[in-house]
Amino acid sequence: MTLKISSKPATAVKICGITKTHQALEIASLGADAIGVIGVKHSPRFVEETQRRKLFEALALKNPNIERVWVVADLEEKELLNGMTGNGIPSVIQLHGKESLQKCKELKKTFPEIKWWKAIRIKEKYDLDFVQDYKSSVDSILLDAWDQNLLGGTGEKLPLQWLKHPDFPIPWWLAGGVSTEWIGD
């Protein structure tokens, strides 16, 4: 589960790592705001293209307001372009790799019809300072716990005291260890 926090007092929920269409539709019916599908091939939750398109197409048909998030990392431009055309396309592309600030800016400018989210892996509190740099390059930031071996999906929590008074210039999502027991905090 991922939470979105913005300058407005609204919180949104994204469920990520979904692999089956029936799961996605059930989660959407429960009121999630976004559903993420992993496009990173070495992830255990990777969803191949045909299945991803089927899942996104079903979501777009039955839940048109839900964000369909394709999570990718350092994807070749040809694959990225292919994923944005045809049936079953994402409404959001979440960049979870080493994509540069300039690359993010170019993608947002070239493909304004897609929302672009950039994941930043947070190891130390000062890593949060990098959020400021992305304000004109992406539509939202995803803060995820750093792990030496994994790009995301670690289940690790960021220390809440680091997020007490953030002054981020764009909406942000919090990932890593988010659960119903923790949301109250």
Side-chain angles (χ1 to χ4, degrees):
M1 182 180 341
T2 306
L3 295 177
K4 177 185 179 185
I5 316 295
S6 69
S7 57
K8 300 174 187 171
T11 300
V13 174
K14 173 183 143 218
I15 306 296
C16 201
I18 302 308
T19 59
K20 299 187 179 353
T21 301
H22 74 276
Q23 291 172 322
L25 294 173
E26 182 66 26
I27 290 166
S29 75
L30 296 172
D33 301 284
I35 291 182
V37 175
I38 307 299
V40 179
K41 290 182 181 169
H42 62 271
S43 169
R45 293 181 281 167
F46 171 73
V47 176
E48 57 86 22
E49 181 181 0
T50 303
Q51 181 59 27
R52 180 189 77 240
R53 287 180 181 276
K54 180 180 166 188
L55 190 153
F56 282 165
E57 197 167 20
L59 279 175
L61 180 65
K62 295 186 179 188
N63 301 88
N65 295 327
I66 199 164
E67 297 290 5
R68 301 171 315 278
V69 183
W70 185 28
V71 179
V72 299
D74 306 309
L75 201 59
E76 293 290 327
E77 195 159 327
K78 185 177 179 180
E79 281 186 271
L80 192 58
L81 290 171
N82 181 55
M84 293 188 294
T85 59
N87 294 328
I89 62 172
S91 58
V92 175
I93 296 180
Q94 180 179 309
L95 304 169
H96 215 96
K98 295 178 185 172
E99 299 87 5
S100 70
L101 184 62
Q102 184 60 35
K103 181 68 173 179
C104 293
K105 192 177 284 193
E106 288 170 12
L107 289 168
K108 184 176 176 179
K109 183 179 178 183
T110 305
F111 305 101
E113 68 282 2
I114 297 282
K115 293 178 188 155
W116 296 93
W117 298 352
K118 176 64 178 135
I120 299 178
R121 296 167 57 214
I122 307 297
K123 184 176 185 180
E124 304 289 336
K125 185 177 180 181
Y126 71 83
D127 292 334
L128 293 169
D129 295 340
F130 294 112
V131 171
Q132 302 293 334
D133 298 340
Y134 285 90
K135 68 182 174 187
S136 63
S137 301
V138 294
D139 299 292
S140 205
I141 290 290
L142 182 128
L143 306 174
D144 202 357
W146 184 88
D147 184 281
Q148 182 175 335
N149 301 312
L150 300 172
L151 291 177
T154 66
E156 296 297 320
K157 297 176 188 171
L158 292 175
L160 285 179
Q161 64 270 25
W162 293 0
L163 304 171
K164 286 276 188 203
H165 302 287
D167 188 23
F168 299 141
I170 57 176
W172 55 283
W173 295 82
L174 176 62
V178 178
S179 67
T180 55
E181 297 79 24
W182 194 60
I183 289 174
D185 295 336

